[in-house]
Amino acid sequence: EDGLEVKVISFSDFVQPNTALVEGELDINSFQTGTFLDTVVEESGYDLAKIEPTISIPMGIYSEVYDDVSEIKEGDTIGIPNSPTQEGRALQLFEEAGLITLPEGSGQEVTSSDIVENSLNLNFITSEAAQLPAQLQDLGAAGINSNFALDAGLNPKKSGIFMENIDNLEQANYIVSRTEDKDDEAIAQFVNYYQTDEIKQFIEEEFKGALVPAW
């Protein structure tokens, strides 16, 4: 009613949305954490800016074999995302679950080669994040973002055998624009539409904790 027309374009990976934004095919995107964006900017030189947080998407450990992380066996193959920061985020999740030890003070830059202690000799393999739910049948367990779990018909509350604890904005997703456009009036208008009590209530009722409002 205010004359703002919004066209939504879906992507199936973590690379194309930023490329499309930089090339002018998009005006904003909304899919990535601030930490992920920082890594992309550092590695690619893209001139992109965080605008405002949207949702937090907890990562969970999922399994078709086990009901609890304590049941994971020696030598199991474990799937984790292959994208920047998400591999490290998954490894931190497995450390939180007590299955591995990472270097003290390490962040999401870690990879499986940095694991300090792996008493069960778990075999960590990386894959496209969106493909992990389909590969779950061939794995002991996998670290999967809740959005991909939901897309695959997995209920994080019921199917996740260990869930990430999100207690700050580090893991929040952000609306992102080209830096030159970050103060654009239309983007501010979009943010005002998004960050409302109505949208917050919808997220809480629709996703029941699988997605969490981050503003």
Side-chain angles (χ1 to χ4, degrees), residues 20-78:
L21 181 58
V22 168
E23 294 178 350
E25 297 173 18
L26 305 174
D27 297 302
I28 56 175
N29 66 36
S30 178
F31 77 99
Q32 62 197 320
T33 65
T35 306
F36 181 92
L37 177 65
D38 291 342
T39 300
V40 169
V41 168
E42 181 179 350
E43 293 180 351
S44 66
Y46 288 166
D47 195 7
L48 300 175
K50 290 180 286 189
I51 306 300
E52 285 287 335
T54 56
I55 54 175
S56 293
I57 305 176
M59 182 179 284
I61 298 175
Y62 292 81
S63 176
E64 292 187 358
V65 183
Y66 306 121
D67 296 320
D68 191 275
V69 289
S70 63
E71 300 173 5
I72 292 176
K73 292 183 169 54
E74 183 170 359
D76 275 343
T77 298
I78 307 295

Side-chain angles (χ1 to χ4, degrees), residues 80 87 91 100-103 109-118 124 126:
I80 55 177
E87 177 180 355
L91 290 171
I100 61 172
T101 302
L102 297 171
E109 77 285 349
V110 294
T111 67
S112 55
S113 63
D114 297 313
I115 296 174
V116 173
E117 184 178 344
N118 182 4
F124 287 92
T126 59

Side-chain angles (χ1 to χ4, degrees), residues 1 7 12 16 31 53 68 94 111 113 115 128 138 144 172 213:
E1 64 184 18
K7 180 181 180 181
S12 60
Q16 294 184 71
F31 77 99
D68 191 275
F94 278 91
T111 67
S113 63
I115 296 174
E128 289 287 339
D138 300 317
I144 304 175

Side-chain angles (χ1 to χ4, degrees), residues 157-173:
K157 289 280 190 176
K158 296 179 179 179
S159 305
I161 62 174
F162 190 88
M163 297 301 295
E164 181 179 47
N165 178 28
I166 294 183
D167 55 6
N168 57 48
L169 287 178
E170 180 181 352
Q171 303 292 9
N173 280 20

Side-chain angles (χ1 to χ4, degrees), residues 119-204:
S119 59
L120 291 178
N121 294 313
L122 300 175
N123 176 33
F124 287 92
I125 62 170
T126 59
S127 182
E128 289 287 339
Q131 299 303 315
L132 285 169
Q135 297 168 353
L136 201 55
Q137 60 186 349
D138 300 317
L139 301 169
I144 304 175
N145 302 82
S146 288
N147 56 313
F148 294 124
L150 289 170
D151 288 344
L154 298 171
N155 184 321
K157 289 280 190 176
K158 296 179 179 179
S159 305
I161 62 174
F162 190 88
M163 297 301 295
E164 181 179 47
N165 178 28
I166 294 183
D167 55 6
N168 57 48
L169 287 178
E170 180 181 352
Q171 303 292 9
N173 280 20
Y174 279 81
I175 295 169
V176 173
S177 75
R178 292 179 292 277
T179 301
E180 64 187 38
D181 298 327
K182 65 184 181 67
D183 297 319
D184 186 274
E185 184 177 335
I187 294 176
Q189 188 177 11
F190 180 86
V191 171
N192 287 337
Y193 284 138
Y194 194 111
Q195 294 185 337
T196 61
D197 290 340
E198 181 182 3
I199 297 299
K200 182 175 289 188
Q201 182 179 350
F202 170 82
I203 293 170
E204 292 171 344

